[in-house]
Amino acid sequence: MSENSCLPLGRFPYIHVREPEIAHHVLTRVIGPLDVTAAGKSSDLDWRLNRVDLGPVALLVGRTRGDWILRGESSCYLVIVPRSGHARVQQPHDDTQLAAGKVGVLISPATRTRWHVATEVSNLTVRFERAFLEAQLEALTGVAPSGMLTFA
């Protein structure tokens, strides 16, 4: 069994990261400028990610192990659906405990976000470029958004 077979999109580009500096670099390119720091005494990061890039939309399937915190602002809209495990996502007006089959989260661009993975979590994330999503909404409604979209 290949190491990549643990994620469902094994035939697509695969990233396996154990160093916080590399995780920061990858996250900055894929989602936006996020800091990656150890939350506990252990600094054992194990992050695996498949990415299917469809232009302005991307599917990201990942698994993170360890006690880690990601902080920063996304440059895109994100829909995060946990597949297994638990994580906590904090935004200025929301504190969400992600749970597989129960609770996911929407993140808007430029929203200060803190994501804490205390053990292990697997998730599916759909990333929408901001201009694309806003253009699609305008095409559907005939009205240009007056500001950044936010989800309640």
Side-chain angles (χ1 to χ4, degrees):
M1 185 192 292
S2 75
E3 193 170 339
N4 197 8
S5 65
C6 66
L7 295 175
L9 301 174
R11 67 187 184 103
F12 292 95
Y14 178 71
I15 301 165
H16 184 190
V17 176
R18 293 183 183 272
E19 298 84 20
E21 298 80 18
I22 295 173
H24 166 76
H25 176 73
V26 171
L27 286 165
T28 296
R29 290 182 51 107
V30 174
I31 294 175
L34 298 176
D35 293 325
V36 181
T37 57
K41 293 179 183 178
S42 173
S43 60
D44 294 334
L45 173 64
D46 186 1
W47 179 47
R48 299 165 194 256
L49 177 73
N50 283 129
R51 178 179 169 201
V52 180
D53 198 336
L54 306 169
V57 177
L59 300 175
L60 309 167
V61 177
R63 185 190 79 209
T64 306
R65 285 185 185 163
D67 194 3
W68 288 88
I69 295 174
L70 310 176
R71 287 185 184 93
E73 296 179 0
S74 171
S75 60
C76 49
Y77 291 95
L78 300 171
V79 178
I80 302 171
V81 180
R83 297 174 50 238
S84 66
H86 301 276
R88 182 177 183 184
V89 177
Q90 295 172 292
Q91 299 177 73
H93 303 289
D94 189 31
D95 188 345
T96 304
Q97 293 288 338
L98 298 180
K102 296 181 180 179
V103 178
V105 70
L106 297 166
I107 298 175
S108 297
T111 301
R112 189 85 183 136
T113 303
R114 180 180 184 270
W115 168 289
H116 182 197
V117 176
T119 55
E120 179 175 340
V121 67
S122 294
N123 59 281
L124 166 66
T125 300
V126 183
R127 186 198 78 204
F128 298 92
E129 289 181 8
R130 180 179 176 178
F132 170 78
L133 189 61
E134 291 171 357
Q136 293 301 306
L137 181 63
E138 182 177 356
L140 286 171
T141 64
V143 178
S146 61
M148 185 177 351
L149 302 175
T150 56
F151 298 93

